[in-house]
Each structure stands twice: as structure tokens, then as C-alpha cells.
Amino acid sequence: MTTSLNARSAAISALIAIAVLLVWHLATQSTASGPALDPEYAKLVGATATTGKSAMPGPLDVGAKLIEHLSHPFYDKGPNDKGIGIQIGWSILRVAMGYGLAVLAAIPLGFLIGMSPVMSRALNPFIQLLKPVSPLAWMPLALYTIKDSSKSAIFVIFICSIWPMLINTAFGVASVRKEWLNVARTLEVGALRRAFSVILPTAAPTIVTGMRISIGIAWLVIVAAEMLVGGTGIGYFVWNEWNNLSITNVIIAILVIGVVGMALDQALARVAQAVTFPE
Amino acid sequence: MRPLISLESLAKRYPKAGGGETTIFENLWLSVNKGEFVCIIGHSGCGKTTVLNSLAGLERPSEGVIIVDGKEITAPGLDRAMIFQGHALLPWKTVMGNVAFAVSSRWPKASREEVERKSQAVIDLVGLTGSERKRPAELSGGMKQRVGIARALSIEPKIMLMDEPFSALDALTRGSLQDEVRRICRETGQTVVMITHDVDEAMYLADKVVLMTNGPAAMVAEIVENPLPPDRDRTGMHKQPDYYALRNHLIDFLVTGSRTFRDHIPPKYDPMKPPLVRPGATSPGTMQREDALQAH
Ligand SMILES: Nc1ncnc2c1ncn2[C@@H]1O[C@H](COP(=O)(O)OP(=O)(O)OP(=O)(O)O)[C@@H](O)[C@H]1O
Ligand SMILES: [Mg+2]
């Protein structure tokens, strides 16, 4: 039953992929052989269009380029020409740092808020106020105070990925069953051991859910942040290729961003599975 | 002999919704000797769990003191083990993990092998050999409760406290667990305070049954001494000569006495020393033996 379900869904996925590629292919073909362009417009859109080739690449162009990228992912020919592997590496590094710092801050703080109703109420207005702020709104402030574009990007990742983890940790910690805390109390378990061996395992599934939401946000934000701060990273790569009018590379970047984002999400889904316990 | 547990003038009050206070019970006195198995019975809401939780140190009484082995109780402690009604196992730990958690709390300096060995011993004692690596979700209700019992026994407590430990189980499982608990407690001379709603359970397990009247302002109406022989067995118990005298006495109390006691308090009733009663052939009807508590 499950195997046939898997097989059927995989078949449908493959069909959709083929259909999309086919439509894409035909659509870009027809532009190439379409009616002659208005010369004024042709001048505007540039050489690629006037030479009869579509500015919009087809799947075969993208595929060829992708193979080229993947065979030399780490070349470095100066600031505006680096392999896609290097660019994505920079983005992952920044996300790892900003997100890592957010984890280090959110989990202990979340414990504090979850365990103390007073702190929960005291900090709630700040959380509610800061949580809805768009990450990009932080950028000027970060650039002004930190004065380093790469660190500013890390700060923005930090500030936007902290909230879901903070809120989920606090919620998970606050909803530990009283029974289990009573077990710890009757066994005279100390505060630290109680935190690690009773509260943390109970709250872990909720915490990891928060971490999963956060990594998604962090990955969304890094592209935008790198477009703004420039220099390196996949966001900068997209921006740079747009300036080069290389739509092929932009499409490849989109694919790569999607794949990495999916991998990050799946990694945390694995963690979530590992810490979930059946009741 | 000084009793192991002594509740002295215990009271519990909660603030009422519209102001004022509700008294769940007040001026409650109770003592339990070492090695005794005491059951508390009474209607729902009379405050049994409150008494037991106070004894565990999980709740603070509004008034009065609780003395265990000469010391006043103010917090939970490893000298008292609680068996919770909802078993309260940690679901992310295995059977061994749950028991070992208690053992390593009791003996923080013990080596891993030592902890494992002690845990294994109690797991074997409650008949769970072979299920050490299972998680609570993989166990039946009866097995979970066995783990709860193993966990409580593992810390070698002075007192075991049980709040309706078997009420969620089917009759067959309940019966075999009652046998198990009785065997273990008799072998080890364990002091137990247990809450139950089940008259037969109290008759089988208890040396003494504490009868609590209905709340609010519940009282200990009397303490019933079990006249059945110590070597009674669960299935043949009803053939004992005093079986019906005891059973009728307890049921009469639950049906009418628990409600009417307050309005017909016996003239010599003293809340500090509730009457000790032993129904059955040895003393027909209700015999007041107020000095028996002292003599013990
Ligand atoms: N936090 C609380 N606030 C107000 N009243 C409470 C609170 N906790 C318990 N009570 C009241 O105290 C009384 C005694 O409760 P308790 O749980 O001790 O009863 P019980 O005898 O164990 O009942 P049951 O047999 O149903 O378990 C009840 O009437 C209950 O409503
Ligand atoms: Mg109760």
C-alpha cells in the first residue's frame, strides 16, 4: 500500500517535472523563432535578443550551464567571478553564524521565560514589538552600528531567526507536564539536572519545530541581505548575474537556493524526528 | 513506640471564588506505624489526594505539621516515594531509564554498573524482566504501573505513597498487581499509605483503613483495623469468617456514615485520636478501643 502510494506519487511528480520542462522548452523556442522584433525595442533589450536568441534561456541552456557550474564549483577569478560553490558556501557560513548565535541566545532565554511567569510577562511586550519587524528594516541600523557588511548580514540573520525559537522554547518549557516535574521533585533532582533530563527532553520537539521555522526564515533572509550588502554570497551572485543579464545563472541560483533550503529543512526534520517521543 | 508518620492538626483551605475560604479539612490527625499498610477511603473530593500530596511534600498544608521519623516535612524527599495515579513515567526514557533515573537520584555517586544492577533488581522484582529496553508507549497500562512501582521501590524509601495506583486498570491486571504489591510489601516490611476507592482492595491490602467523611471540612471518622488473617489471599478472602463483617462495615460507612457522621458525632469522639475499630467475630459490632493507638 505505502510502496504503491510512493510509486504513484513519484510518477506524478516526474510527470509534472517533465511537463514543466517541456512547456518551458517550447515557450522559449517559440520566442526565438517568433516575429521580428521592433528595432527600437531590440536596441533596448540588447544584443542577446537581436541575435535571434531569446533572452529567456530554455531548459537545455540552463542544464548545460548547470553542468558547467557543478564541474567547477569553487573557482575564484576575482570579486565578480567566483564559482557558485564558493558563493553558496559564504551564504551557508553567514546563516550558520547568525543562526547559531540565535540558538545560543534563544534557548537559554526561552528556558528563563518558560520557567518564570514573571519574566514571561516582563519580556512579552518586547518580543511582540520586535518579532513583526521585517529583517531588512534592521539592515541600515546594523550597517551603521556594526560598520561591516558581512557582520551586518549575520546580525540580520540573528535577529530574524531568534523569535520563533525563543517563543517555541518558552512555550515548550512552560508546558512541561506537572506530573513529570513532581517526579523530579520527589526524587530531589537538582535544578540543572532537572533542566537537562526532564525539561529539555519534554520541550525538545517544540524547540526543534521553532528551530525549523527559524532556519527557513534565515535562509529566506540571507538572499535579500546579501543583495543589499554585496561582496559575496548567493544573494550577491543573483544580483550580479541580473546585472550581467544572465538569466540562466539567475535560474541556476534559484535552483541552488531551493535545494540548499530544502536540505536545511530536511536536516532539522530529522532532528525533530529523533527528539520526538511517543506518549 | 513512636509512629513513623504523624499528621498533627492538619488543615487545608482554598480561597473561595467569591471571597472567603473553603476548608477542605481541618484538625486532622493521623499516625502510621512502621511497617503498616494503611488505606484511606472516602468519597471523591474529600481531600484524600491533598493529604497524600502534603505527606509527599508536594503541597503545603495551610495549618499543622507532618512528622516523618521524628522530622517535620516541608518538601518532597527521597525518604518518601510516590506512585502516581497516572503512572507519570518519563515517556522518552526506557523502562530501565526511568528506574535508573530514580536510582541515580538516590545514589548520585553510584557507578553506572551499580545503578544498572540496582535498577535491574527492582525491575525483576516487579516482573518486568525482558522489557528493560521498552519505552512506556510500548507497555500496557499494567506494565506501566509496574514500572511506577519499581521506580518507587528502587529508592528504598521509608514510606510508599500511592494515589489510586490501580484505578485505571482492568480487574484482572489490578488483581495481579495487588498480589505483587502485597507480596513485596510483606517481604520488605514497607510502610505504605494508599488511597483507594475500592473496598475489596482496601480489605486485601490494608492493615488499617482510614475512613474519611465527605468534604468540605472532612474528618477522619474512624480507623478500621483489618481482622482478616495476615496470610489472606485475594481469591479466597471472602471465605474468611470476618470478611462480611468488615466489608459491610466499610460499605455502610461509604453509603451513609460518610455523609451523616458529621451530624451524629459520637460523644467521646476526639479528632486527635479517632476511634480504632475492629469489625468481626473477635469483637461483635463496633468496638471502641481508643487506647489501642497508644498501646501499639
Ligand atoms: N487548587 C485548588 N483550588 C481550589 N480547590 C481545590 C484545589 N485543589 C483541590 N481543591 C479541592 O480540594 C478538594 C479535595 O481535593 P482532592 O483532590 O484532595 O480530593 P480527593 O479526595 O483526592 O478526590 P478524588 O477521590 O476524586 O481523587 C476538592 O473538593 C477540590 O475541589
Ligand atoms: Mg484524588
Side-chain angles (χ1 to χ4, degrees):
Chain A
M1 181 61 210
T2 44
T3 50
S4 84
L5 188 69
N6 281 343
R8 265 159 40 209
S9 59
I12 294 173
S13 296
L15 274 178
I16 293 173
I18 291 168
V20 168
L21 287 174
L22 203 65
V23 169
W24 180 13
H25 180 71
L26 292 177
T28 47
Q29 280 305 78
S30 66
T31 326
S33 57
L37 287 168
D38 178 349
E40 288 283 296
Y41 180 66
K43 225 186 271 173
L44 273 175
V45 294
T48 42
T50 46
T51 51
K53 191 112 172 61
S54 166
M56 186 65 194
L60 296 175
D61 307 317
V62 172
K65 193 81 183 171
L66 185 62
I67 290 168
E68 194 187 310
H69 275 300
L70 291 183
S71 45
H72 305 285
F74 298 112
Y75 72 86
D76 188 351
K77 296 182 196 155
N80 284 339
D81 194 7
K82 293 190 203 313
I84 198 159
I86 290 187
Q87 303 288 31
I88 202 90
W90 273 107
S91 299
I92 292 176
L93 187 70
R94 287 192 186 114
V95 164
M97 286 169 72
Y99 179 77
L101 288 174
V103 170
L104 290 182
I107 292 179
L109 202 57
F111 255 75
L112 181 69
I113 295 173
M115 296 218 273
S116 148
V118 178
M119 288 311 283
S120 167
R121 283 181 184 217
L123 294 177
N124 193 43
F126 299 101
I127 296 174
Q128 297 305 334
L129 180 78
L130 296 179
K131 188 177 61 142
V133 174
S134 161
L136 298 182
W138 289 101
M139 190 54 99
L141 191 65
L143 283 171
Y144 178 74
T145 47
I146 302 175
K147 297 188 172 64
D148 177 288
S149 58
S150 194
K151 281 187 194 140
S152 299
I154 292 170
F155 170 77
V156 170
I157 297 297
F158 168 83
I159 201 73
C160 70
S161 58
I162 195 169
W163 309 115
M165 288 192 279
L166 187 62
I167 291 165
N168 271 36
T169 306
F171 178 75
V173 168
S175 48
V176 172
R177 292 246 290 272
K178 194 150 181 248
E179 272 186 332
W180 298 334
L181 293 176
N182 279 346
V183 168
R185 284 177 68 199
T186 55
L187 293 174
E188 293 185 36
V189 172
L192 209 62
R193 183 154 180 254
R194 186 180 63 211
F196 278 102
S197 54
V198 178
I199 299 173
L200 190 59
T202 329
T206 323
I207 296 175
V208 175
T209 305
M211 291 174 72
R212 207 174 153 187
I213 298 170
S214 285
I215 197 79
I217 294 178
W219 194 242
L220 280 179
V221 168
I222 189 67
V223 176
E226 285 171 344
M227 279 184 173
L228 281 179
V229 298
T232 47
I234 195 74
Y236 173 69
F237 178 84
V238 172
W239 190 246
N240 199 28
E241 296 306 321
W242 161 239
N243 286 334
N244 295 343
L245 267 183
S246 170
I247 303 298
T248 316
N249 277 337
V250 170
I251 293 173
I252 286 171
I254 288 172
L255 276 177
V256 171
I257 292 168
V259 168
V260 172
M262 190 168 82
L264 291 174
D265 185 64
Q266 285 307 304
L268 277 165
R270 287 281 166 80
V271 177
Q273 216 168 27
V275 298
T276 303
F277 50 85
E279 283 224 30
Chain B
M1 195 182 86
R2 191 180 64 189
L4 179 63
I5 307 172
S6 174
L7 310 189
E8 302 182 359
S9 187
L10 219 58
K12 183 77 183 184
R13 302 177 217 282
Y14 283 109
K16 248 192 236 164
E21 282 184 324
T22 321
T23 300
I24 307 301
F25 50 77
E26 62 186 346
N27 201 18
L28 190 105
W29 297 69
L30 186 67
S31 53
V32 177
N33 294 321
K34 191 165 187 306
E36 262 181 344
F37 199 123
V38 171
C39 279
I40 303 177
I41 63 175
H43 281 284
S44 191
C46 72
K48 304 179 296 296
T49 298
T50 311
V51 170
L52 204 73
N53 283 349
S54 310
L55 193 44
L58 293 170
E59 272 179 50
R60 298 284 298 136
S62 312
E63 281 162 32
V65 289
I66 300 170
I67 293 167
V68 170
D69 210 10
K71 284 197 206 70
E72 191 184 341
I73 293 303
T74 52
L78 285 157
D79 55 338
R80 287 150 288 145
M82 184 85 166
I83 295 177
F84 297 88
Q85 182 171 3
H87 62 75
L89 300 180
L90 306 178
W92 58 91
K93 285 186 189 290
T94 60
V95 168
M96 176 58 85
N98 269 285
V99 178
F101 183 62
V103 172
S104 55
S105 306
R106 174 72 171 80
W107 293 280
K109 293 200 176 68
S111 68
R112 271 192 64 171
E113 293 75 39
E114 180 94 337
V115 169
E116 191 123 325
R117 195 180 49 73
K118 277 193 152 79
S119 309
Q120 188 67 53
V122 280
I123 291 172
D124 296 344
L125 188 66
V126 299
L128 282 176
T129 318
S131 303
E132 294 85 355
R133 303 280 152 230
K134 289 195 177 134
R135 304 265 178 111
E138 303 166 67
L139 303 177
S140 69
M143 289 163 91
K144 281 182 206 160
Q145 207 49 273
R146 278 172 199 266
V147 183
I149 295 168
R151 180 172 63 185
L153 285 171
S154 73
I155 61 171
E156 297 174 10
K158 282 185 201 148
I159 304 163
M160 284 238 274
L161 305 170
M162 310 192 198
D163 191 351
E164 301 182 38
F166 311 132
S167 60
L169 305 176
D170 63 279
L172 220 59
T173 315
R174 192 186 311 152
S176 65
L177 273 177
Q178 285 165 354
D179 290 344
E180 212 82 50
V181 163
R182 181 159 168 79
R183 176 180 62 80
I184 294 166
C185 291
R186 270 170 67 85
E187 277 171 11
T188 57
Q190 185 69 56
T191 311
V192 184
V193 179
M194 174 168 148
I195 295 172
T196 178
H197 273 124
D198 181 343
V199 168
D200 285 297
E201 182 168 271
M203 290 169 65
Y204 177 47
L205 294 175
D207 301 318
K208 283 180 185 160
V209 184
V210 175
L211 307 182
M212 268 177 87
T213 66
N214 293 357
M219 297 184 270
V220 173
E222 57 186 34
I223 294 168
V224 177
E225 215 172 47
N226 195 334
L228 302 179
D231 62 348
R232 58 190 175 261
D233 69 295
R234 187 165 48 82
T235 44
M237 198 167 64
H238 61 281
K239 296 194 189 108
Q240 297 291 341
D242 293 332
Y243 176 84
Y244 285 102
L246 175 62
R247 193 178 157 84
N248 290 341
H249 189 90
L250 296 179
I251 292 195
D252 277 347
F253 175 78
L254 286 179
V255 172
T256 53
S258 59
R259 189 161 34 86
T260 59
F261 182 83
R262 182 191 320 284
D263 306 325
H264 307 280
I265 296 180
K268 285 175 75 185
Y269 178 79
D270 175 5
M272 279 180 73
K273 270 184 286 166
L276 186 70
V277 166
R278 187 185 174 97
T282 41
S283 60
T286 301
M287 193 186 91
Q288 300 252 337
R289 289 207 325 202
E290 285 167 334
D291 50 356
L293 260 179
Q294 303 301 87
H296 227 290

